[in-house]
Amino acid sequence: MLRLIHHLLPLLLILLFTAAQQVHSWRPWPNAVNNNSRSSTADFRFGPSKKFEGSSEFVDLKYHMGPVMTTNITVHIIWYGKWQPSQKRIIREFINSISADSVKPPSVSGWWKTVQLYTDQTGSNISRTVKIGSEKNDRFYSHGKSLTRLSVQSVIKSFITARTKPLPVTPKNGIYLLLTSPDVYVQDFCQQVCGFHYFTFPSIVGYTLPYAWVGNSAKLCPGICAYPFAVPTYIPGLKPVKAPNGDVGVEGMISVIAHEIAELVTNPLVNAWYAGPDPIAPVEIADLCEGIYGTGGGGSYTGQMLEGRDGATFNVNGIRRQFLIQWVWNHVVNYCTGPNALDQ
């Protein structure tokens, strides 16, 4: 109750002085209804404590002494399937915005500062620098339009061993991001996950490399993976919010990409920062804040988000665009935080 009062007082004051900038929240978070998840590792073992920004007493996030990414981080992108140039630009600009300190708040780089709080056993923080490295296109679906988790690793292998311009092998500071187009199905997509991260097996790829997959849900399940820009069909009367960049599938991907990158850099080999007893299915810093996009978020509420002049919904500014991304767990204050918090 004290924390609730702590949140409400600043909220009332801010609303009085910033009436020109609209904020609103959305309900319900669809996963609370059908138990689908934006991440392969999310579960409900912490009950409400992992869903509400102010509830922290039962969250047991620990450091398990594994490596985190403390040197300049490079994201190598594999565009699997058919992508429009405009779609690629949106995703590139989000990733490039992570290190763009000159952007006005609330910014993507402000969101990343929470991720930077995490350290390794030497006390070194997560790197502030995230940049795009090499990019490869797979327009002809080299491994088909239906991928398993293991075949995702085979796709990565095919590009780091390519005869011409292979992806560089950078296991200490490289992230290999496989993005699949709307006509590609990946194992458990829509049913349990919208994206996942892990590390490649030397027996398959030849190296241990941190990687993530995120799918474009525009055709398969936008109401699950692109919420709140699309809404589930099983909730009649609920209206979607307007996407800031005009592409619902890609807008949904942006938040999942943010989710997976935040977890990859803090838990690249699944032996660093996570909660829960099971390293096979760890609850990580983005899982703990699943569905929270602003102050008051938790349970079935996304929290207070911003509305642009064109009516689009967002919570962070990028270099040239606005985005909606979920908050992450701040282990210093023991609750979910984001740069658009009304009490900062």
Side-chain angles (χ1 to χ4, degrees), residues 241-273:
V241 300
K242 183 178 180 181
N245 299 292
D247 190 311
V248 168
V250 172
E251 306 281 3
M253 293 182 74
I254 293 295
S255 189
V256 183
I257 289 170
H259 180 123
E260 300 303 336
I261 288 180
E263 293 183 342
L264 256 182
V265 300
T266 55
N267 197 28
L269 301 182
V270 201
N271 60 359
W273 290 94

Side-chain angles (χ1 to χ4, degrees), residues 199-221:
F199 54 85
T200 61
F201 302 148
S203 59
I204 296 176
V205 180
Y207 305 90
T208 300
L209 305 173
Y211 76 93
W213 158 76
V214 178
N216 187 322
S217 65
K219 292 183 178 180
L220 296 174
C221 57

Side-chain angles (χ1 to χ4, degrees), residues 307-325:
E307 187 173 293
R309 293 180 180 178
D310 61 352
T313 298
F314 70 101
N315 65 354
V316 289
N317 294 300
I319 297 173
R320 285 175 291 272
R321 302 174 184 270
Q322 295 168 330
F323 304 100
L324 182 66
I325 58 177

Side-chain angles (χ1 to χ4, degrees), residues 68-70 73 112 115-116 118 124-128 265-266:
V68 301
M69 294 190 172
T70 59
I73 299 161
W112 188 253
V115 180
Q116 285 182 254
Y118 289 85
S124 298
N125 292 83
I126 299 293
S127 174
R128 65 170 295 277
V265 300
T266 55

Side-chain angles (χ1 to χ4, degrees), residues 1-13 53-54 295-296 342-343:
M1 181 63 71
L2 289 177
R3 187 172 292 281
L4 176 60
I5 294 173
H6 171 74
H7 284 299
L8 287 177
L9 287 177
L11 172 59
L12 292 173
L13 291 173
E53 57 157 330
T295 299
L342 296 180
D343 58 349

Side-chain angles (χ1 to χ4, degrees), residues 13-87:
L13 291 173
I14 290 172
L15 289 177
L16 287 174
F17 291 103
T18 61
Q21 189 169 36
Q22 299 183 52
V23 294
H24 58 277
S25 60
W26 270 81
R27 64 175 299 188
W29 175 240
N31 297 345
V33 178
N34 69 359
N35 206 29
N36 285 311
S37 174
R38 292 177 78 90
S39 169
S40 61
T41 58
D43 66 19
F44 295 93
R45 72 167 60 107
F46 294 103
S49 69
K50 71 170 289 188
K51 289 290 184 180
F52 289 85
E53 57 157 330
S55 301
S56 60
E57 59 182 305
F58 299 112
V59 174
D60 189 23
L61 183 73
K62 291 181 179 180
Y63 177 52
H64 296 80
M65 305 306 288
V68 301
M69 294 190 172
T70 59
T71 56
N72 292 351
I73 299 161
T74 302
V75 181
H76 304 296
I77 304 176
I78 299 172
W79 303 97
Y80 193 89
K82 296 178 181 178
W83 292 87
Q84 298 296 323
S86 59
Q87 296 177 316

